Amino acid sequence: GYGVGGEATVVNCGPSAPTCNAGNFITSYFRKTFTVSDAGSIAALELKILRDDGALVYLNGTQVVSTNMPAAPISHTTPASTAVSGSGETAFNTFAIAPAGLVNGTNVLAVEVHQSGATSSDVSFNA
């Protein structure tokens, strides 16, 4: 993310960088691949996600979580439903995900994090 301090990966806020006070990108994208040797043996999945402000989560291309986001359709310019502030910026939200979306071999978890507006001073994500 950006704007909080201590980010493991800093993303570009947009054209006003480094001040990040106007015209910021609404959406940042993250992707992680992982390997599963026997998908059929996994009975449950749990995702803990910290997001400031909203997020959509995809497992192998299928949306499995929407948190603090409006109803579809959603594009890269769609803002989060509300601004997250205070303790909400550091809180992890927990979601159960159906393991049926896993495949043997390489799997992809993709997340798009949406700001509540183009003047938001920070974006945070952790999963």
Side-chain angles (χ1 to χ4, degrees), residues 10-98:
V10 176
V11 297
N12 184 352
C13 67
S16 68
T19 58
C20 301
N21 58 6
N24 297 338
F25 299 133
I26 294 291
T27 307
S28 299
Y29 298 90
F30 303 89
R31 178 179 300 247
K32 175 71 175 174
T33 59
F34 60 98
T35 303
V36 174
S37 59
D38 184 5
S41 69
I42 297 176
L45 291 175
E46 181 178 88
L47 175 68
K48 293 181 180 181
I49 184 171
L50 178 151
R51 84 300 185 254
D52 177 6
D53 294 305
L56 299 174
V57 180
Y58 301 86
L59 177 60
N60 294 324
T62 299
Q63 184 180 319
V64 293
V65 171
S66 175
T67 175
N68 197 31
M69 292 296 296
I74 293 174
S75 76
H76 68 284
T77 60
T78 303
S81 296
T82 61
V84 173
S85 61
S87 63
E89 292 181 314
T90 58
F92 278 84
N93 302 273
T94 303
F95 301 92
I97 298 175

